[in-house]
Amino acid sequence: MILATVRMTIPPQKRSQVSKTLKSMVRETMIEPGCLSSRLYHDEIEEAVFMCEQVWKNQDVLNLYLRSEDYRHMILLMELAGEPPEIKFQTISETAGIEVIEKARGCTRNGDV
């Protein structure tokens, strides 16, 4: 899996427009082949900050998306940012859930220590 994130700081006069566009893009991306999730976050403390997070099945499907017209729109939005965006692609080889917490704390599912 590939975790793709774009974090951008948007000037006040462009926030409403960028927010609407990003919401639409996130919904459209969720139906792309190979997209496992697509989310948009708006920082409550730093109001100018938006972050798009996507999880892709593999590098091949991510590459197709990066070459798409939809991603060209993301690039255009990044150009509206007040400073250079933070872009990251992280390869995930393994995921786990609550069992990691339980193991670290020496607990079982029923709460026994």
Side-chain angles (χ1 to χ4, degrees), residues 50-66:
F50 291 86
M51 187 177 81
C52 287
E53 175 190 87
Q54 301 164 337
V55 179
W56 295 90
K57 185 177 179 179
N58 57 45
Q59 189 67 51
D60 292 335
V61 294
L62 173 60
N63 288 345
L64 285 173
Y65 177 67
L66 295 176

Side-chain angles (χ1 to χ4, degrees), residues 3 7-8 12 20 27-28 31 33 35-38 44-45 49 51 57 59 68 76-77 91 97 102 108-109 111:
L3 172 63
R7 183 182 184 277
M8 52 190 140
K20 287 177 188 173
R27 282 191 293 271
E28 291 172 15
I31 61 171
C35 181
L36 303 177
S37 71
S38 182
E44 289 293 321
I45 296 171
V49 175
M51 187 177 81
K57 185 177 179 179
Q59 189 67 51
S68 73
L76 293 172
L77 285 178
T91 302
E102 291 171 341
T108 62
R109 285 273 175 194

Side-chain angles (χ1 to χ4, degrees), residues 25-103:
M25 290 176 69
V26 165
R27 282 191 293 271
E28 291 172 15
T29 302
M30 284 191 282
I31 61 171
E32 289 284 329
C35 181
L36 303 177
S37 71
S38 182
R39 295 185 172 98
L40 173 64
Y41 300 99
H42 183 207
D43 195 308
E44 289 293 321
I45 296 171
E46 294 181 72
E47 291 183 14
V49 175
F50 291 86
M51 187 177 81
C52 287
E53 175 190 87
Q54 301 164 337
V55 179
W56 295 90
K57 185 177 179 179
N58 57 45
Q59 189 67 51
D60 292 335
V61 294
L62 173 60
N63 288 345
L64 285 173
Y65 177 67
L66 295 176
R67 290 190 297 262
S68 73
E69 185 67 18
D70 288 339
Y71 199 76
R72 187 180 77 78
H73 293 176
M74 176 66 81
I75 293 169
L76 293 172
L77 285 178
M78 286 188 252
E79 291 176 359
L80 295 175
E83 54 192 60
E86 181 182 305
I87 303 168
K88 291 184 182 177
F89 299 96
Q90 299 170 315
T91 302
I92 302 170
S93 60
E94 185 179 319
T95 62
I98 195 166
E99 63 274 8
V100 173
I101 298 168
E102 291 171 341
K103 184 178 178 183

